[in-house]
C-alpha cells in the first residue's frame, strides 16, 4: 500500500468513528430525560460531526480523487465504512448511551493527545482541537456513569448491564492492522494498542467511583476497521444517506 | 390613588419579579411565557425529525445547532416563568396534561427537507415579528429573555431562507420541493399571529398592561408585507389567489384565513398534536429513573460530605 493510501484509510477510520457516533447521538435530540441533557447530547453530536467533517475533508485532499466530506460520508456503503463496531451500537436506554460514550471518550482522549504531535501537521491540528472536546466529553460521560452507578438500585443495575453489554465492542477500538502500523511507523498516526493502558486506567478509576464492577466477559467483537460490522450499521447509513443519495449531484 | 404597578406601566417602565402586580397580570404572564417556552421545546421535534437525514454535513451541523438553540431558549424562558412563582415541574405537568398550550404551528409535520427551510424562513420569521415587539414588553425578565432570543432567531431565519434559495437555484425536483413546502406552511404561518383582533380574547387587556404592543392583525400584515418580496425573489408562488398589492393602503391584501382549521388545531385535532405530546411524555417518563438516580447520587454525596466534615 502506498503511504498516501495508508494515511487516507487511517483518516477514514478516524472520521467514520466520529460520523457514526454523531449520527447515533443526533437521534436522541428531544428524547433526553431533561432539557439540559437535550442540549448536552446535541453538543456531543455536533463535536463529533465537526471532527468527522475535518477528517473527511482532509482525507479527500489526500485521496485527490475529487471526493469531498459529503461524498465520503454520504455515498460509501456499509462494507466501506471502517468505524469501530462500538459506535454503531443502538442508543438503547440512557445508561447504554452513556456507557458507549464513556468507552469512546476514554479512548479518544489519549488518542487525540498522541495525535496532537503527529508529524502530519494537518492531522495534528485537528487532533489538538478534538482533544479539548474529548476531555469535556469524558467529564460528561464519567459524571453520568458515576451518578447512575452510585444512584438508585435500578440505575446501578442498568449502568452495570450497559457497561457489560458495550464492553465486548470496545475491543474494536484497539484492533490494528498494516494501516495503523504504517502510519504509526511514519509518526503520522498512532498504534491504538499503545492507548490501552491509559484507557484501562480511566475505565478502572471511573468504574470504581461508580461502585460498578469491571466487566468479566472476555469475548471481543472486532472487525469494524475492515468493514465487518454488526447488522445495525446498514440501517443507520440507510437513514443518514437517503436524501443525499436520492438527489446525487444536487447542491444543498 | 394609582398603584405602583399602574405607575410603572404608565411610565413605560419594567415590572420586576419583586414588584407587586395584579393576579391577572401574573397569570397572563405565566401563561404567555410558558406557552412560549413549551413552543421552543416541542419545536425540537419537527426539526429534529430531519437531523438524521440532513443532505450534507454542513446542513446537518447547522440544524443540530439550531435545535440545540431552541432547547436553550426553552430553558431560558422556563427560568423567566419561574420568577413568577411557578416551578419547572409544574410547567411540565401543565404541558403534558394539555392545560397549557404551545404554538399550533408545531402540530404540522415536516415531510421534506424543504420544510426545514420553510420553518426557518416563515415560522421563525413570523416568530421574530412577534418577538421583536416582546423585547419591549412590560415584564422585565421576559423582555430581557426576548432580546437574547431574537438575536438567535434572526440568525435561524437567515439560515432557513438560505436553504430555500439553494433549493430554488437547484434541480427541478429541489425547486418543486421548495414550492410544496411553501404551499403547506404559508397558511399555518400567517395563523401564528392568532385570531383576528375582533375575536382575540386577550389582546385588549394585554395591550393595556404593555404586554403586547401591537395587535395580531397589525403583526400579521407586517409579516406578509415583508415576506411577499422575499418569495418573489425566490421565484416561488404564495398559495393565495387573492394576494395583491393595495396601493391605497400601502399593504398587501390577502385572502380569507381558514379559522376553522386554526381552531381545530388549537383544540388538539391537528395533524400531529397527539404525537407531539406523546413524544414529550414518553421522553419524560422514560427519563424518570435517570432523574431519580441523579437525585439519589446527590443525596449520597451530601451525606458523605457531612460525615467527613
Amino acid at each position: 500500500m502506498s503511504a498516501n493510501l495508508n494515511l487516507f484509510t487511517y483518516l477514514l477510520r478516524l472520521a467514520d468513528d466520529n460520523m457514526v457516533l454523531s449520527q447515533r447521538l443526533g437521534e436522541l435530540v428531544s428524547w433526553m430525560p431533561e432539557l439540559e441533557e437535550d442540549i448536552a447530547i446535541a453538543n456531543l453530536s455536533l463535536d463529533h460531526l465537526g471532527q468527522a467533517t475535518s477528517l473527511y475533508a482532509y482525507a479527500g485532499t489526500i485521496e485527490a480523487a475529487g471526493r469531498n466530506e459529503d461524498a465520503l460520508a454520504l455515498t460509501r456503503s456499509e462494507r466501506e465504512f471502517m468505524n469501530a463496531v462500538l459506535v454503531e451500537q443502538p442508543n438503547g436506554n440512557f445508561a447504554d448511551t452513556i456507557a458507549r460514550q464513556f468507552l469512546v471518550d476514554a479512548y479518544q482522549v489519549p488518542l487525540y493527545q498522541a495525535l496532537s504531535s503527529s508529524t502530519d501537521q494537518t492531522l495534528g491540528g485537528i487532533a489538538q482541537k478534538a482533544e479539548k472536546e474529548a476531555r469535556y466529553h469524558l467529564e460528561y460521560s464519567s459524571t453520568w456513569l458515576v451518578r447512575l452507578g452510585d444512584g438508585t438500585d435500578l440505575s446501578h443495575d442498568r449502568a452495570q448491564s450497559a457497561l457489560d453489554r458495550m464492553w465486548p465492542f470496545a475491543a474494536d477500538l484497539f484492533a490494528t492492522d498494516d494501516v495503523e502500523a504504517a502510519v504509526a511507523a511514519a509518526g503520522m498516526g498512532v498504534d491504538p494498542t499503545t492507548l490501552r493502558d491509559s484507557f484501562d486506567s480511566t475505565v478502572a478509576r471511573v468504574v470504581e467511583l461508580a461502585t460498578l464492577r469491571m466487566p468479566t466477559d472476555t469475548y471481543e467483537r472486532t472487525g469494524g476497521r475492515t468493514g465487518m460490522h454488526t447488522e445495525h450499521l446498514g440501517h443507520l447509513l440507510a437513514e443518514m444517506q437517503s436524501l443525499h443519495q436520492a438527489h446525487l449531484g444536487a447542491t444543498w | 390613588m394609582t398603584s405602583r404597578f399602574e405607575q410603572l406601566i404608565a411610565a413605560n417602565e419594567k415590572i420586576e419579579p419583586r414588584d407587586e402586580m395584579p393576579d391577572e397580570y401574573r397569570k397572563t404572564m405565566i401563561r404567555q411565557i410558558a406557552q412560549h417556552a413549551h413552543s421552543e421545546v416541542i419545536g425540537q421535534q419537527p426539526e429534529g425529525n430531519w437531523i438524521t437525514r440532513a443532505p450534507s454535513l454542513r446542513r446537518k451541523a447547522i440544524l443540530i445547532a439550531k435545535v440545540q438553540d431552541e432547547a436553550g431558549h426553552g430553558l431560558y424562558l422556563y427560568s423567566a416563568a419561574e420568577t413568577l412563582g411557578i416551578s419547572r415541574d409544574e410547567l411540565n405537568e401543565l404541558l403534558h396534561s394539555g392545560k397549557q398550550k404551545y404554538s399550533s404551528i408545531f402540530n404540522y409535520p415536516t415531510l421534506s427537507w424543504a420544510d426545514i427551510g420553510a420553518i426557518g424562513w416563515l415560522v421563525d420569521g413570523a416568530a421574530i415579528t412577534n418577538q421583536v415587539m416582546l423585547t419591549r414588553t412590560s415584564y422585565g425578565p421576559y423582555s430581557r429573555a426576548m432580546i437574547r432570543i431574537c438575536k438567535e432567531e434572526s440568525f435561524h431565519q437567515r439560515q432557513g431562507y438560505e436553504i430555500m434559495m439553494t433549493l430554488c437555484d437547484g434541480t427541478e425536483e429541489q425547486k418543486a420541493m421548495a414550492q410544496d413546502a411553501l404551499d403547506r406552511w404559508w397558511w399555518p404561518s400567517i395563523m401564528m399571529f392568532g385570531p383576528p383582533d375582533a375575536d382575540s380574547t386577550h389582546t385588549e387587556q394585554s395591550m393595556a398592561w404593555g404586554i403586547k404592543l401591537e395587535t395580531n392583525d397589525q403583526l400579521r400584515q407586517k409579516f406578509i408585507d415583508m415576506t411577499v418580496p422575499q418569495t418573489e425573489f425566490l421565484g416561488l408562488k404564495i398559495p393565495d389567489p387573492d394576494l395583491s398589492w393595495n396601493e391605497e393602503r400601502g399593504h398587501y391584501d390577502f385572502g380569507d384565513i381558514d379559522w376553522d382549521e386554526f381552531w381545530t388545531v388549537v383544540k388538539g385535532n391537528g395533524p400531529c398534536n397527539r404525537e407531539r405530546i406523546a413524544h414529550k411524555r414518553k421522553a419524560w417518563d422514560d427519563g424518570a429513573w435517570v432523574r431519580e438516580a441523579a437525585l439519589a447520587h446527590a443525596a449520597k454525596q451530601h451525606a458523605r460530605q457531612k460525615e467527613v466534615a
Side-chain angles (χ1 to χ4, degrees), chain B residues 8 53 74 76 80 135 177 185 202 213 243 251 254-255 275 278 293 299:
Chain B
L8 287 170
R53 292 175 292 169
Y76 206 51
T135 61
M177 204 187 270
W185 290 94
H202 303 297
L213 305 165
L243 189 84
H251 291 294
F254 51 95
E275 285 103 313

Side-chain angles (χ1 to χ4, degrees), chain A residues 19 22-23 26-27 29-36 38-46 49 52-53 56 69-70 73-74 93-95 143-144 146-152 154-156 158-159 209 236 239-244 246-247 249-252, chain B residues 41 44-45 48-62 64-65 67-68 70-72 74-75 78 88 92 113 162-163 166-167 170-171 173-174 177 278-280 282-284 286-294 296-298 300-301 304:
Chain A
M19 187 69 238
S22 170
Q23 181 73 4
E27 293 169 9
V29 175
S30 80
W31 284 108
M32 298 300 278
E34 286 269 24
L35 205 43
E36 284 85 345
D38 275 326
I39 295 172
I41 215 76
N43 200 43
L44 294 182
S45 180
L46 263 179
L49 178 57
T53 304
Y56 282 134
E69 62 271 26
D70 289 335
L74 300 173
N93 64 31
F94 183 74
T143 302
W144 267 114
V146 171
R147 278 184 191 143
L148 296 179
D150 187 41
T152 62
L154 177 65
S155 70
H156 178 89
R158 286 187 176 169
L209 275 174
L236 178 146
E239 182 175 359
M240 181 170 95
Q241 300 178 335
S242 58
L243 179 59
H244 184 88
H247 302 265
T251 303
W252 300 95
Chain B
V41 171
Q44 288 188 94
Q45 294 181 33
N49 184 37
W50 282 89
I51 286 178
T52 56
R53 292 175 292 169
S56 71
L57 302 192
R58 178 172 162 262
R59 291 291 178 202
K60 192 191 280 284
I62 292 172
I64 296 171
V67 176
Q68 186 185 33
E70 274 151 21
L75 211 52
Y78 283 132
R88 234 171 94 187
N92 234 325
W113 171 253
E162 203 220 321
I163 289 178
T166 309
L167 293 174
T171 64
E173 283 164 311
Q174 285 177 302
M177 204 187 270
H279 175 145
K280 178 70 179 59
K282 181 168 167 42
W284 184 251
D286 287 355
W289 69 276
V290 175
R291 297 189 299 275
E292 283 157 18
H297 174 67
K300 285 184 191 176
Q301 286 278 77
R304 281 193 287 259

Side-chain angles (χ1 to χ4, degrees), chain A residues 1-249:
Chain A
M1 246 190 227
S2 75
N4 268 2
L5 186 56
N6 281 325
L7 179 58
F8 174 67
T9 305
Y10 183 65
L11 291 169
L12 281 187
R13 288 175 179 179
L14 296 176
D16 288 346
D17 277 353
N18 286 297
M19 187 69 238
V20 171
L21 184 57
S22 170
Q23 181 73 4
R24 280 287 183 234
L25 296 167
E27 293 169 9
L28 288 169
V29 175
S30 80
W31 284 108
M32 298 300 278
E34 286 269 24
L35 205 43
E36 284 85 345
E37 305 315 318
D38 275 326
I39 295 172
I41 215 76
N43 200 43
L44 294 182
S45 180
L46 263 179
D47 283 349
H48 288 297
L49 178 57
Q51 292 169 21
T53 304
S54 302
L55 291 161
Y56 282 134
Y58 184 41
T61 65
I62 295 294
E63 187 193 32
R67 288 201 285 183
N68 65 7
E69 62 271 26
D70 289 335
L72 290 170
L74 300 173
T75 65
R76 282 154 62 240
S77 72
E78 191 174 346
R79 292 280 288 119
E80 293 170 292
F81 260 71
M82 294 182 286
N83 57 281
V85 289
L86 176 63
V87 295
E88 71 206 34
Q89 297 312 305
N91 290 322
N93 64 31
F94 183 74
D96 294 316
T97 296
I98 289 297
R100 183 188 64 202
Q101 188 66 37
F102 168 67
L103 295 172
V104 172
D105 298 340
Y107 152 81
Q108 282 194 335
V109 167
L111 169 72
Y112 288 135
Q113 193 175 19
L115 283 178
S116 292
S117 48
S118 169
T119 55
D120 183 301
Q121 288 196 346
T122 307
L123 180 54
I126 294 170
Q128 279 168 27
K129 179 167 182 284
E131 187 192 337
K132 288 182 202 135
E133 294 170 348
R135 286 189 187 283
Y136 162 76
H137 299 172
L138 180 60
E139 198 182 307
Y140 176 81
S141 59
S142 303
T143 302
W144 267 114
L145 196 64
V146 171
R147 278 184 191 143
L148 296 179
D150 187 41
T152 62
D153 289 348
L154 177 65
S155 70
H156 178 89
D157 290 349
R158 286 187 176 169
Q160 187 66 58
S161 305
L163 190 62
D164 290 347
R165 196 154 42 235
M166 293 297 169
W167 184 251
F169 301 110
D172 207 15
L173 297 167
F174 303 98
T176 72
D177 61 14
D178 294 348
V179 172
E180 272 85 9
V183 292
M188 290 190 287
V190 174
D191 172 356
T193 56
T194 63
L195 308 171
R196 186 79 210 210
D197 284 350
S198 168
F199 172 86
D200 284 340
S201 80
T202 303
V203 173
R205 177 174 57 81
V206 176
V207 160
E208 192 188 335
L209 275 174
T211 70
L212 298 171
R213 53 162 182 71
M214 284 300 292
T216 49
D217 192 350
T218 55
Y219 170 67
E220 296 186 342
R221 173 62 165 94
T222 58
R225 300 302 186 202
T226 52
M228 288 291 289
H229 292 281
T230 59
E231 290 175 345
H232 304 295
L233 183 67
H235 299 272
L236 178 146
L237 294 181
E239 182 175 359
M240 181 170 95
Q241 300 178 335
S242 58
L243 179 59
H244 184 88
Q245 299 215 1
H247 302 265
L248 281 177

Side-chain angles (χ1 to χ4, degrees), chain B residues 19-303:
Chain B
D19 292 334
E20 275 183 40
M21 58 187 96
D23 275 354
E24 273 308 308
Y25 178 89
R26 185 183 297 274
K27 275 190 203 153
T28 302
M29 252 7 276
I30 289 177
R31 179 177 54 77
Q32 189 170 333
I33 300 173
Q35 177 166 332
H36 190 166
H38 298 329
S39 301
E40 299 278 1
V41 171
I42 297 292
Q44 288 188 94
Q45 294 181 33
E47 295 188 86
N49 184 37
W50 282 89
I51 286 178
T52 56
R53 292 175 292 169
S56 71
L57 302 192
R58 178 172 162 262
R59 291 291 178 202
K60 192 191 280 284
I62 292 172
L63 182 58
I64 296 171
K66 181 182 181 205
V67 176
Q68 186 185 33
D69 282 348
E70 274 151 21
H73 295 170
L75 211 52
Y76 206 51
L77 287 161
Y78 283 132
S79 303
E82 282 177 315
T83 64
L84 291 158
I86 188 161
S87 74
R88 234 171 94 187
D89 280 351
E90 286 173 279
L91 291 165
N92 234 325
E93 185 43 43
L94 289 164
L95 170 63
H96 292 173
S97 63
K99 288 188 186 123
Q100 282 180 346
K101 306 277 186 213
Y102 53 90
S103 175
S104 276
I105 194 75
F106 299 121
N107 289 316
Y108 291 86
T110 49
L111 302 178
S112 84
W113 171 253
D115 290 19
I116 299 305
I119 288 181
W121 172 37
L122 300 173
V123 174
D124 291 335
I128 294 164
T129 307
N130 197 32
Q131 287 165 4
V132 165
M133 163 189 82
L134 292 173
T135 61
R136 291 172 284 128
T137 194
S138 58
Y139 188 57
Y142 191 34
S143 154
R144 290 187 287 274
M146 292 320 303
I147 290 170
R148 182 162 140 180
I149 288 170
C150 269
K151 282 184 194 152
E152 290 182 352
E153 292 291 358
S154 56
F155 192 56
H156 296 163
Q157 204 228 353
R158 281 202 297 277
Q159 289 167 340
Y161 191 68
E162 203 220 321
I163 289 178
M164 297 303 279
M165 276 204 299
T166 309
L167 293 174
C168 291
D169 283 341
T171 64
E172 282 306 307
E173 283 164 311
Q174 285 177 302
K175 194 160 182 181
M177 204 187 270
Q179 181 63 56
D180 173 58
L182 174 60
D183 290 347
R184 285 181 289 111
W185 290 94
W186 173 255
W187 290 103
S189 296
I190 64 172
M191 289 178 198
M192 280 176 70
F193 298 96
D197 296 346
D199 304 332
S200 174
T201 43
H202 303 297
T203 294
E204 202 180 330
Q205 181 62 78
S206 288
M207 302 239 347
W209 277 335
I211 297 173
K212 278 180 86 144
L213 305 165
E214 290 168 89
T215 71
N216 295 353
D217 286 332
Q218 285 168 340
L219 291 165
R220 184 170 12 251
Q221 184 72 59
K222 194 184 265 190
F223 173 73
I224 291 172
D225 289 348
M226 181 182 79
T227 307
V228 173
Q230 293 172 353
T231 314
E232 285 167 357
F233 184 78
L234 291 172
L236 297 178
K237 197 173 175 324
I238 288 174
D240 178 359
D242 298 324
L243 189 84
S244 65
W245 177 251
N246 183 325
E247 193 65 51
E248 206 175 306
R249 288 204 308 128
H251 291 294
Y252 284 92
D253 289 337
F254 51 95
D256 291 336
I257 294 172
D258 181 357
W259 292 111
D260 287 344
E261 175 182 326
F262 175 79
W263 290 114
T264 300
V265 181
V266 168
K267 285 177 182 146
N269 295 316
C272 300
N273 299 57
R274 287 153 205 232
E275 285 103 313
R276 297 294 185 236
I277 288 296
H279 175 145
K280 178 70 179 59
R281 288 181 74 130
K282 181 168 167 42
W284 184 251
D285 293 345
D286 287 355
W289 69 276
V290 175
R291 297 189 299 275
E292 283 157 18
L295 286 175
H297 174 67
K300 285 184 191 176
Q301 286 278 77
H302 186 69

